[in-house]
CSV table of all heavy atoms in Angstrom, one decimal:
chain,number,residue,atom,x,y,z
S,7,ASP,N,-99.7,86.8,-90.2
S,7,ASP,CA,-101.0,87.5,-89.7
S,7,ASP,C,-100.9,89.0,-90.0
S,7,ASP,O,-100.5,89.7,-89.1
S,7,ASP,CB,-101.3,87.2,-88.2
S,7,ASP,CG,-102.7,87.7,-87.8
S,7,ASP,OD1,-103.3,88.4,-88.6
S,7,ASP,OD2,-103.1,87.3,-86.7
S,24,LEU,N,-85.4,88.7,-75.5
S,24,LEU,CA,-84.6,87.6,-76.1
S,24,LEU,C,-83.2,87.6,-75.6
S,24,LEU,O,-82.7,86.6,-75.1
S,24,LEU,CB,-84.7,87.6,-77.6
S,24,LEU,CG,-83.9,86.6,-78.3
S,24,LEU,CD1,-84.5,85.2,-78.1
S,24,LEU,CD2,-83.7,86.9,-79.8
S,33,GLY,N,-78.3,75.8,-71.7
S,33,GLY,CA,-77.9,75.1,-72.8
S,33,GLY,C,-77.3,75.9,-74.0
S,33,GLY,O,-76.6,75.4,-74.8
S,39,ASP,N,-71.3,82.5,-75.8
S,39,ASP,CA,-70.1,83.1,-75.4
S,39,ASP,C,-69.1,83.1,-76.5
S,39,ASP,O,-68.3,84.0,-76.7
S,39,ASP,CB,-69.5,82.4,-74.1
S,39,ASP,CG,-70.2,82.8,-72.8
S,39,ASP,OD1,-71.0,83.8,-72.9
S,39,ASP,OD2,-70.1,82.0,-71.8
S,40,ILE,N,-69.1,82.0,-77.3
S,40,ILE,CA,-68.2,81.9,-78.4
S,40,ILE,C,-68.6,82.8,-79.5
S,40,ILE,O,-67.8,83.5,-80.1
S,40,ILE,CB,-68.2,80.4,-79.0
S,40,ILE,CG1,-67.6,79.5,-77.9
S,40,ILE,CG2,-67.5,80.3,-80.3
S,40,ILE,CD1,-67.8,78.0,-78.1
S,72,VAL,N,-75.3,81.1,-92.2
S,72,VAL,CA,-74.0,80.7,-92.5
S,72,VAL,C,-73.0,81.3,-91.5
S,72,VAL,O,-72.1,80.5,-91.1
S,72,VAL,CB,-73.7,81.1,-94.0
S,72,VAL,CG1,-72.2,80.7,-94.3
S,72,VAL,CG2,-74.6,80.3,-95.0
S,77,SER,N,-69.1,80.8,-87.1
S,77,SER,CA,-68.6,81.3,-85.7
S,77,SER,C,-68.7,80.2,-84.7
S,77,SER,O,-68.0,80.1,-83.7
S,77,SER,CB,-69.5,82.4,-85.2
S,77,SER,OG,-69.4,83.5,-86.1
S,86,VAL,N,-80.7,74.9,-81.9
S,86,VAL,CA,-81.8,75.6,-82.7
S,86,VAL,C,-83.1,75.5,-82.1
S,86,VAL,O,-83.8,76.5,-82.0
S,86,VAL,CB,-81.8,75.1,-84.2
S,86,VAL,CG1,-82.9,75.7,-85.0
S,86,VAL,CG2,-80.4,75.2,-84.8
S,88,ASP,N,-83.7,75.0,-78.9
S,88,ASP,CA,-83.7,75.9,-77.7
S,88,ASP,C,-83.9,77.4,-78.0
S,88,ASP,O,-84.6,78.0,-77.4
S,88,ASP,CB,-82.4,75.7,-76.9
S,88,ASP,CG,-82.4,74.3,-76.2
S,88,ASP,OD1,-83.4,73.6,-76.1
S,88,ASP,OD2,-81.3,73.9,-75.8
S,96,ALA,N,-89.8,85.0,-75.2
S,96,ALA,CA,-89.6,86.5,-75.4
S,96,ALA,C,-90.8,87.2,-76.0
S,96,ALA,O,-91.2,88.3,-75.6
S,96,ALA,CB,-88.3,86.8,-76.1
S,101,LEU,N,-95.7,90.6,-76.4
S,101,LEU,CA,-96.9,90.7,-77.3
S,101,LEU,C,-98.1,89.9,-76.7
S,101,LEU,O,-97.9,89.0,-75.9
S,101,LEU,CB,-96.6,90.1,-78.7
S,101,LEU,CG,-95.6,90.7,-79.5
S,101,LEU,CD1,-95.2,89.9,-80.7
S,101,LEU,CD2,-95.9,92.1,-79.9
S,117,GLY,N,-86.3,78.2,-88.0
S,117,GLY,CA,-85.6,77.1,-87.3
S,117,GLY,C,-85.7,75.8,-88.2
S,117,GLY,O,-84.7,75.1,-88.2
S,119,LEU,N,-85.8,75.6,-91.4
S,119,LEU,CA,-84.8,75.7,-92.5
S,119,LEU,C,-83.4,75.3,-92.0
S,119,LEU,O,-82.7,74.5,-92.7
S,119,LEU,CB,-84.7,77.1,-93.1
S,119,LEU,CG,-85.9,77.6,-93.9
S,119,LEU,CD1,-85.8,79.1,-94.3
S,119,LEU,CD2,-85.9,76.7,-95.2
S,129,THR,N,-80.6,60.5,-97.9
S,129,THR,CA,-79.2,60.2,-98.0
S,129,THR,C,-78.5,61.1,-99.0
S,129,THR,O,-77.4,61.5,-98.8
S,129,THR,CB,-79.0,58.7,-98.6
S,129,THR,OG1,-80.1,57.9,-98.1
S,129,THR,CG2,-77.8,58.1,-98.1
S,134,MET,N,-74.5,65.9,-99.3
S,134,MET,CA,-74.1,67.3,-99.7
S,134,MET,C,-73.3,67.9,-98.5
S,134,MET,O,-73.6,67.6,-97.4
S,134,MET,CB,-75.2,68.2,-100.0
S,134,MET,CG,-76.0,67.8,-101.3
S,134,MET,SD,-77.4,68.8,-101.6
S,134,MET,CE,-77.3,70.3,-100.7
S,140,LEU,N,-76.4,74.7,-95.7
S,140,LEU,CA,-76.6,75.9,-95.0
S,140,LEU,C,-76.8,77.1,-95.9
S,140,LEU,O,-77.6,78.0,-95.7
S,140,LEU,CB,-75.5,76.2,-94.0
S,140,LEU,CG,-75.4,75.3,-92.8
S,140,LEU,CD1,-74.1,75.5,-92.0
S,140,LEU,CD2,-76.6,75.5,-91.8
S,150,GLY,N,-87.8,84.0,-99.0
S,150,GLY,CA,-89.1,83.9,-98.2
S,150,GLY,C,-89.8,82.6,-98.1
S,150,GLY,O,-91.0,82.5,-97.8
Side-chain angles (χ1 to χ4, degrees):
D7 187 347
L24 175 68
D39 284 343
I40 294 167
V72 173
S77 299
V86 176
D88 288 347
L101 298 170
L119 285 171
T129 331
M134 289 176 25
L140 290 169

